[in-house]
Amino acid sequence: MAEVDLVIGGMTCASCATRIERKLNRIDGVSASVNYATEKARVRADGVDAATLIAAVEAAGYTATQPAAPIDDAAATPIDDETARLKHRLIVTTALAAPVVLMSMIPALQFMNWQWLALTLAAPVVVWGAWPFHRAAAVNLRHGATTMDTLISVGVLAAFGWSVYALFFGSAGMPGMHMEFSFFSTGISGASEIYFEVAAAVTVFILAGRYLEARAKKRSGAALLALLHLGAKDATLVRDGVETRVAVASLVVGDLLTVRPGEKIATDGLVIEGLSAVDLSMLTGESLPAQVGPGDRVVGATVNVGGRLIVEVSRVGADTELSRIARMVEDAQTGKAEVQRLADRVSAVFVPIVIALSIVAFVAWLAFGGTIEQAFTAAVATLIIACPCALGLATPTALLVGTGRGSQLGIIIRGPQVLEQTRAIDTIVLDKTGTITTGTMSVLSTTAVGDTDARLLLSMAAAVEHPSEHPVARAIVAQAGLTGAAIRGVESFVSHAGRGVQAILDGQLVLAGTANWLGGSWSIPLAEEVLSRIAAEEASGSTVVAVAWDGVFRGTIAVRDTVKPSSVLAITRLRALGLHPVLLTGDNHGAAQAAAGAVGIDDVHAAVTPQGKLDVIRALQARGHRVAMVGDGVNDSAALAAADLGIAMGTGTDAAIAASDITVVSGDLLGVADAVRLSRRTLAVIKGNLFWAFAYNVAAIPIAMLGLLNPMLAAAAMAFSSVFVVTNSLRLRRFVPAAAGGEQR
């Protein structure tokens, strides 16, 4: 199924988003999710083109376009026309409405025939100021639908219309008419009272709420915008020894770039020449620069703070790390949590129910002996206070801010459903290599047997390990390079996950792997003293590679990894979050126990194959545990996908990242604890927002129906509920990582 993104225009509330979503989902082969806060639709379409989808949105009364391609030289943020228009409309309507409200509330200001000035000032507010609400209500009405704008438009026009009637056909237009402001109904005949202040104030309050929402939504999406603008705009291309300055968009894979100290690295690549330190803080949140040299991978948008580098371009455009991270952040912000889907269902039926309740309130007041004024006050207040805008904003704004803050800290949350999963997990399973340890292994010893030369042993092992990306293989190849041992090309290379590798070198079958693999799968005998020595080295935390060729065991190479400095503190933080840590590794028991003992983990599963890792995850789940898995390698991919929550280290493989729910770009285990904290905090804000929105409507509607609330105050309260939800979500921008002094729970 093809994925299509659409930018939606004309939405004014959550019920608009629900209508568009339902319209799109009625098309065969289409599954759509529309987000009111981001004003985007994510559509999975099977055999349906974008033109058909756009036509469906337009048929519902809205606009839809496909997102424009990013413009490389658009460093400046575009002017937000919608926010500017709202601000202008708000200023003008406030200036006109303020005298109307003051005259209506303060009898001392009510001069002779003041009510006619109130009509003169209120008319442009109701007609021009509230025009966006009237227009949206009319468009939806033509399509047989009602939205929040319907409630506002009907409420404002009812208050204005009744006031005009009272002026021209009642006693309200008589010279010397005075009116007192009251929070409650007064019981006076409706034809002697005017509601211009209600019509004007409701318009101003709703416009103020919309303006603050628009500003807050822009601020909440600022992190993603900043992320997209991190990249360099141009680069220094080296071709035939000549350096030229070119646009980043013109680069292709294989180009050579010069990166001088203080410059941004233009795109992802491989260091060919030079030694330097690279500041990764813009992308990962890491404060300390990383040392790089020939053969090291560098990421676009990071800053070269040391020496001059020559970099070969390996990824461009949408394939770069920066683009991939931005895409994951946007995916998370576009999706919907299960709690939001419930809110959307409520919003879809809420408006018709409120209109019905408003009519019930009006009829009931008249039936039980109330005055027309009391009935009218109750009906209008019910219409205005019940707008479900806060429901629609509760989840998307928190997601925007939470995922945006995460991207600034190098924590990429894939989608809103991840938030639900982080709340439930009680067990965290950790891979060893590259997660708890640095993943940078080094050769401790090379032991040849018989008449085999140690240099030849290392050369043969390096040759067969050279095609492998495993850290042990890289350590052996690196050691061979340091000692000057030749690394020859091999044929028929095969990797056996968790066991070893094999290849043909000069017509000989060369094997490098575990002693058990050589003895069990290849029937190559190892002497008892060799097995005892291997066991002793493994017990001390080393990984021992047994090497054989021509069916004869030739010797061993011992390799050891080191624990990351932050891992001990990270395990403490994870325990403080109520998580039980489990170490799960394909390494031997000795290496696993040594690493586990260094960081304080008691539950250890060692010498586990990729299938074995999957089995351990499923066994924990079968015992009722909700499991998070942290890994960084291809061999962790299945376990990451099977876990209730998969967390990948950004320094790991693409397969691991693709299988995960959260990516910690820095590769630091402390970032995992921060990711869990941020996810839980975001979910808590969403639930707080939804509670406020639901509780507010449940409590406020009966009060309004009983005539205990002035419509003007109802409008202020409704606008405040939306502003409160957005402001509450913005608190997530202050989330502080534990390493920088943030709270641990």
Side-chain angles (χ1 to χ4, degrees):
M1 295 182 75
E3 264 196 4
V4 180
D5 287 332
L6 298 176
V7 178
I8 307 296
M11 289 194 298
T12 55
C13 65
S15 51
C16 295
T18 305
R19 280 194 59 231
I20 298 169
E21 195 171 282
R22 288 164 66 182
K23 188 84 173 177
L24 288 170
N25 285 328
R26 288 196 189 106
I27 303 173
D28 289 338
V30 168
S31 173
S33 174
V34 181
N35 192 309
Y36 167 53
T38 59
E39 297 178 337
K40 289 183 179 178
R42 171 64 51 81
V43 186
R44 290 174 59 82
D46 186 6
V48 181
D49 59 12
T52 303
L53 300 173
I54 292 171
V57 175
E58 290 174 345
Y62 303 89
T63 63
T65 57
Q66 288 188 274
I71 302 172
D72 295 316
D73 58 356
T77 304
I79 297 171
D80 191 334
D81 291 334
E82 181 194 357
T83 306
R85 284 195 301 268
L86 277 171
K87 182 179 180 181
H88 174 67
R89 197 178 294 267
L90 176 61
I91 290 171
V92 174
T93 53
T94 301
L96 293 171
V100 178
V101 173
L102 291 173
M103 286 188 296
S104 302
M105 293 177 64
I106 305 172
L109 299 178
Q110 295 171 3
F111 53 86
M112 188 68 69
N113 293 321
W114 68 273
Q115 64 270 41
W116 297 99
L117 176 61
L119 168 62
T120 305
L121 295 174
V125 174
V126 170
V127 176
W128 176 78
W131 177 247
F133 313 133
H134 304 322
R135 182 183 56 206
V139 168
N140 285 298
L141 190 61
R142 283 203 304 270
H143 292 86
T146 55
T147 66
M148 174 187 136
D149 294 291
T150 308
L151 300 182
I152 298 169
S153 180
V154 170
V156 168
L157 290 176
F160 184 77
W162 184 262
S163 302
V164 171
Y165 168 80
L167 276 181
F168 287 96
F169 301 103
S171 58
M174 300 295 291
M177 188 275 280
H178 285 275
M179 190 175 74
E180 292 188 3
F181 176 78
S182 173
F183 290 101
F184 311 108
S185 300
T186 61
I188 301 172
S189 172
S192 65
E193 293 274 321
I194 58 174
Y195 287 92
F196 288 130
E197 84 282 5
V198 171
V202 164
T203 301
V204 170
F205 283 136
I206 305 300
L207 281 174
R210 289 274 175 92
Y211 172 64
L212 291 173
E213 283 173 23
R215 282 190 60 195
K217 284 197 294 184
K218 188 169 66 173
R219 287 171 63 199
S220 61
L224 178 58
L225 191 64
L227 189 65
L228 292 170
H229 286 163
L230 279 180
K233 304 305 173 188
D234 47 27
T236 303
L237 177 67
V238 182
R239 189 167 288 166
D240 299 328
V242 179
E243 294 186 356
T244 53
R245 202 73 180 166
V246 298
V248 170
S250 66
L251 297 177
V252 296
V253 174
D255 280 346
L256 294 180
L257 307 177
T258 296
V259 186
R260 294 180 174 83
E263 288 185 339
K264 281 185 182 180
I265 297 172
T267 189
D268 297 1
L270 200 68
V271 177
I272 302 299
E273 180 185 315
L275 295 171
S276 183
V278 175
D279 180 2
L280 305 174
S281 60
M282 298 170 71
L283 209 57
T284 68
E286 282 289 306
S287 56
L288 293 177
Q291 299 296 320
V292 296
D296 288 331
R297 187 170 67 94
V298 290
V299 179
T302 56
V303 179
N304 177 22
V305 296
R308 178 175 175 273
L309 295 174
I310 300 294
V311 176
E312 180 182 352
V313 174
S314 60
R315 290 177 180 173
V316 294
D319 296 329
T320 63
E321 186 82 1
L322 181 65
S323 297
R324 184 174 61 81
I325 290 172
R327 199 158 51 244
M328 285 195 291
V329 173
E330 192 169 15
D331 288 347
Q333 294 180 346
T334 305
K336 288 186 179 181
E338 198 56 40
V339 286
Q340 176 63 23
R341 297 192 181 278
L342 172 63
D344 286 350
R345 288 194 292 271
V346 172
S347 296
V349 299
F350 199 73
V351 174
I353 290 174
V354 169
I355 292 174
L357 289 175
S358 176
I359 295 170
V360 167
F362 185 83
V363 173
W365 271 97
L366 293 179
F368 287 98
T371 64
I372 291 179
E373 186 241 6
Q374 288 173 317
F376 180 77
T377 298
V380 172
T382 302
L383 282 174
I384 299 227
I385 202 167
C387 296
C389 197
L391 284 177
L393 291 169
T395 298
T397 51
L399 271 177
L400 276 170
V401 182
T403 53
R405 179 59 178 150
S407 70
Q408 291 175 330
L409 300 174
I411 299 167
I412 310 303
I413 301 170
R414 271 195 180 272
Q417 71 283 354
V418 172
L419 306 177
E420 300 277 7
Q421 294 160 352
T422 57
R423 179 191 54 148
I425 59 170
D426 56 36
T427 303
I428 186 160
V429 177
L430 305 162
D431 177 47
K432 181 181 77 71
T433 306
T435 301
I436 289 177
T437 64
T438 61
T440 305
M441 307 187 85
S442 56
V443 174
L444 293 181
S445 63
T446 302
T447 307
V449 298
D451 58 356
T452 303
D453 179 67
R455 188 182 178 88
L456 176 63
L457 176 70
L458 184 61
S459 175
M460 296 290 278
V464 73
E465 293 279 17
H466 190 263
S468 174
E469 289 297 318
H470 194 280
V472 170
R474 290 200 293 267
I476 292 173
V477 172
Q479 183 66 20
L482 290 173
T483 59
I487 303 176
R488 290 170 288 170
V490 296
E491 301 173 353
S492 304
F493 172 83
V494 179
S495 175
H496 301 271
R499 294 183 175 85
V501 294
Q502 67 180 75
I504 303 296
L505 177 61
D506 296 334
Q508 304 176 33
L509 176 63
V510 183
L511 307 171
T514 65
N516 290 338
W517 182 56
L518 261 62
S521 298
W522 297 95
S523 301
I524 296 176
L526 276 73
E528 283 298 324
E529 63 270 18
V530 172
L531 292 174
S532 298
R533 178 171 48 78
I534 291 174
E537 289 178 325
E538 289 180 343
S540 68
S542 296
T543 297
V544 180
V545 177
V547 184
W549 61 84
D550 279 345
V552 178
F553 171 68
R554 305 289 181 171
T556 59
I557 300 173
V559 179
R560 182 176 293 179
D561 195 359
T562 55
V563 172
K564 292 179 181 178
S566 61
S567 292
V568 177
L569 180 58
I571 297 300
T572 303
R573 294 263 165 85
L574 291 171
R575 288 188 190 276
L577 290 167
L579 304 177
H580 171 66
V582 177
L583 182 63
L584 182 63
T585 178
D587 275 355
N588 60 75
H589 290 275
Q593 290 293 348
V599 298
I601 296 178
D602 303 320
D603 195 345
V604 181
H605 298 262
V608 182
T609 63
Q611 178 61 45
K613 290 186 177 184
L614 184 60
D615 293 340
V616 170
I617 296 292
R618 287 176 173 165
L620 287 167
Q621 291 170 329
R623 293 204 295 269
H625 293 291
R626 300 300 296 271
V627 182
M629 169 72 189
V630 184
D632 74 332
V634 173
N635 60 339
D636 300 320
S637 300
L640 284 166
D644 298 292
L645 179 70
I647 304 175
M649 294 303 198
T651 50
T653 63
D654 290 343
I657 292 170
S660 67
D661 301 303
I662 295 175
T663 301
V664 178
V665 179
S666 66
D668 192 331
L669 197 57
L670 274 174
V672 174
D674 286 330
V676 174
R677 285 178 52 238
L678 178 59
S679 297
R680 288 180 175 178
R681 182 80 59 79
T682 305
L683 182 63
V685 169
I686 288 174
K687 293 196 168 182
N689 286 347
L690 286 171
F691 171 79
W692 168 260
F694 276 116
Y696 163 82
N697 281 295
V698 169
I701 292 176
I703 294 172
M705 291 180 70
L706 290 171
L708 299 177
L709 201 58
N710 185 292
M712 186 168 64
L713 295 180
M718 193 284 291
F720 172 75
S721 70
S722 298
V723 174
F724 171 83
V725 162
V726 175
T727 306
N728 189 44
S729 299
L730 288 173
R731 291 190 304 118
L732 288 167
R733 298 176 74 191
R734 299 198 298 268
F735 178 86
V736 179
E743 60 185 68
Q744 295 181 27
R745 291 185 181 274

